Structure formats: C-alpha cells, structure tokens
Amino acid sequence: MAWVYVSNLTQQGGSVLTMQTAGESFDAIVFGEKAPGKWMAGSENFHRTQLQQAANPAEEADPGPWSRWPLPMVGER
C-alpha cells in the first residue's frame, strides 16, 4: 500500500512503491509510464505489465491531495 502525492499529472514513469527480488525482477506501482496520466502495475521489461492500458481510468485527482494505492499480489511474490 502506498500513500501518494502527485504534484504533476503530466509526469511519466515514476514509481511510488517497488518490490524487487535479489535479482532483477521487480513489481511496482507506476504513474504514466505506458499511458500518460494513468496508474499501472509495472514490472521489469513489462513481463507482468498490462500492455494495453486504454481502458484504464485516468487519474482525476487535482495535483496535491494524498491518494492511497494498493497493489494486490498473487502467487509467490
């Protein structure tokens, strides 16, 4: 779970929470990396990332307020 303060809704590729193994595998809550203004669950080389994000809702909060973002994990991670 991450509490997030987005100061600029046009920023891209910022992770607010990342979990990484001892190797190179990671999962993260990322803003605007593949689709501007949208949150996504990111991963190394997009291995576990939803590639088509057009249906994901855009962030609607005004820049500034704190938001809470959970990242549910399934499996061995």
Side-chain angles (χ1 to χ4, degrees), residues 9-63:
L9 297 179
T10 61
Q11 67 190 34
Q12 294 183 280
S15 170
V16 299
L17 177 68
T18 302
M19 296 176 288
Q20 185 168 350
T21 65
E24 306 228 348
S25 296
F26 72 86
D27 292 291
I29 300 173
V30 183
F31 184 71
E33 184 170 8
K34 298 218 31 101
K38 297 184 179 189
W39 292 96
M40 62 179 251
S43 61
E44 78 288 341
N45 298 313
F46 304 111
H47 283 135
R48 290 171 303 286
T49 300
Q50 175 189 5
L51 299 179
Q52 298 299 321
Q53 299 188 11
N56 294 1
E59 176 62 70
E60 295 180 352
D62 292 329

Side-chain angles (χ1 to χ4, degrees), residues 21 27 73-77:
T21 65
D27 292 291
M73 302 302 293
V74 177
E76 296 182 19
R77 289 197 180 266

